[in-house]
Amino acid sequence: MIGLKEYQKEAPFDFTLMPRFRKRFNLESMQDINELICNKDRDDDPPAAGTDNPAEKGKKPDNKGKFILDASCAPADIRYPTDLSLLNEAREKLEAMVDTLYKPLKGKIKKPRTYRVRARRDYLAIAKQRKPSKKALRKAVGKQLRYVKRDLKHLERLLETSPAELSRRQSAQLEVIRQLHRQQQYMYDHQTHRVENRIVSISQPHVRPIVRGKAGTPTEFGAKIAISVVDGDVFLDKVSWDSFNEGNTLIASAEAFKRRFGYYPEAILADTIYRNRDNLRYCKEKGIR
């Protein structure tokens, strides 16, 4: 498949190549590929009378078929995030950055004190408890916030004096951690668990919490998708890392159905969230049940 003439033990390419390659495809490209796959073996039905035929001009086209409309979440491969675990991960990454920048200055200046052993002990004291109290959890989060703040100050000074440089990955993570610290400090000061564009993963800062309200998993972490199912084929109508109201996607999905098959559907099967005034008015005009 990849052109090798014989088996070899060495990997033919780095494992990060495929994710980098997939990033080239935007939503429109993926939709085009999906359309080609779904339509490859499908017998195209002739357009309904009156769709494009001048002789039938003025005659309302017949609606055919049905499709299911729904929204879901494509879970991202991340650890379930908590404020304490995120701050602990941020602290450990900052300590690694401090070590990198301090290495060429060893013996010239005193190494910044990060209190990493004490910070790790404070984290494990709560993380190992099955059900820590809210008071103990809040106290632990406050401690980790102070450790992270201290490390960020050390990094600011080292970035100005050290001849060493952070790697590209570390520089990106540093910006994410700064934003994470601001968000966590705001939530800690205001005693809330909500903040705009909340970061739930340092390695994947684009991932957002999606509230589903399902039993057992009220919140999922990943991209929210709007899909339409026609005769077992699934079409991806919308993808967003930020949450959106799926009720606003009905009209676009119905118009996409019209472009694919040449006529509007006879009926749309969907949850009650899609029964808003605009959608009901649109379906009445197009003769859709």
Side-chain angles (χ1 to χ4, degrees):
M1 255 175 62
I2 60 175
L4 295 178
K5 296 182 179 180
E6 59 185 13
Y7 177 81
Q8 65 181 37
K9 293 184 178 180
E10 297 78 18
F13 50 80
D14 189 75
F15 69 94
T16 61
L17 178 63
M18 298 308 291
R20 289 203 305 271
F21 181 75
R22 287 199 301 269
K23 288 179 182 178
R24 298 185 180 187
F25 294 98
N26 55 20
L27 176 59
E28 290 73 21
S29 300
M30 294 304 300
Q31 286 175 328
D32 291 341
I33 295 171
N34 194 45
E35 296 275 350
L36 289 171
I37 294 172
C38 291
N39 292 329
K40 179 173 175 54
D41 298 322
R42 182 192 297 275
D43 293 327
D44 294 329
D45 296 328
T51 52
D52 295 310
N53 191 348
E56 301 287 341
K57 192 174 182 180
K59 184 178 179 181
K60 188 176 180 179
D62 297 329
N63 292 13
K64 296 181 182 179
K66 302 176 183 178
F67 75 89
I68 302 172
L69 196 60
D70 201 2
S72 185
C73 179
D77 186 17
I78 64 171
R79 181 187 70 249
Y80 189 87
T82 64
D83 295 339
L84 186 61
S85 65
L86 281 171
L87 288 171
N88 177 69
E89 183 184 355
R91 176 187 59 78
E92 291 176 343
K93 291 184 181 299
L94 289 175
E95 289 166 358
M97 296 177 196
V98 169
D99 293 342
T100 300
L101 295 178
Y102 175 73
K103 192 173 182 179
L105 298 175
K106 188 175 181 179
K108 299 179 182 178
I109 64 172
K110 188 177 179 180
K111 186 174 182 179
R113 299 184 66 179
T114 57
Y115 298 97
R116 65 186 69 190
V117 176
R118 185 188 301 177
R120 176 69 177 173
R121 185 172 63 245
D122 291 341
Y123 165 70
L124 291 177
I126 298 297
K128 288 184 176 181
Q129 295 183 23
R130 292 189 64 183
K131 289 186 178 180
S133 65
K134 290 184 178 179
K135 184 177 180 181
L137 196 56
R138 175 174 169 81
K139 185 177 179 181
V141 169
K143 286 183 178 180
Q144 294 299 320
L145 276 170
R146 290 188 287 274
Y147 289 131
V148 170
K149 184 178 180 180
R150 178 192 294 270
D151 291 344
L152 285 172
K153 287 183 178 179
H154 289 327
L155 271 174
E156 294 297 334
R157 290 193 291 267
L158 288 172
L159 284 170
E160 296 176 357
T161 58
S162 176
E165 294 182 356
L166 297 177
S167 66
R168 196 170 171 185
R169 181 186 180 88
Q170 287 178 320
S171 298
Q173 287 181 343
L174 179 57
E175 292 303 317
V176 174
I177 292 173
R178 284 171 175 161
Q179 179 65 17
L180 172 68
H181 178 263
R182 286 193 291 267
Q183 291 181 354
Q184 292 291 334
Q185 189 68 55
Y186 173 86
M187 291 190 290
Y188 180 82
D189 294 338
H190 293 80
Q191 298 188 28
T192 181
H193 293 286
R194 292 188 178 184
V195 68
E196 187 177 0
N197 295 324
R198 182 175 180 178
I199 295 174
V200 294
S201 173
I202 297 176
S203 59
Q204 301 183 66
H206 53 275
V207 176
R208 295 287 178 265
I210 305 295
V211 178
R212 299 290 312 283
K214 304 289 185 181
T217 54
T219 304
E220 294 181 345
F221 304 91
K224 187 170 184 179
I225 59 175
I227 58 175
S228 54
V229 184
V230 184
D231 296 332
D233 292 333
V234 179
F235 296 91
L236 189 62
D237 295 330
K238 183 173 181 178
V239 178
S240 175
W241 289 104
D242 295 314
S243 186
F244 59 86
N245 184 352
E246 58 264 34
N248 298 331
T249 64
L250 182 141
I251 296 177
S253 297
E255 291 296 331
F257 185 96
K258 172 73 161 54
R259 288 195 302 272
R260 293 181 188 117
F261 308 110
Y263 44 79
Y264 287 105
E266 174 190 347
I268 297 176
L269 312 181
D271 295 331
T272 54
I273 193 173
Y274 293 89
R275 290 179 58 85
N276 57 46
R277 291 183 179 180
D278 292 337
N279 290 344
L280 291 173
R281 187 184 306 112
Y282 171 84
C283 289
K284 186 176 180 180
E285 293 174 355
K286 303 300 182 182
I288 302 171
R289 180 163 51 84

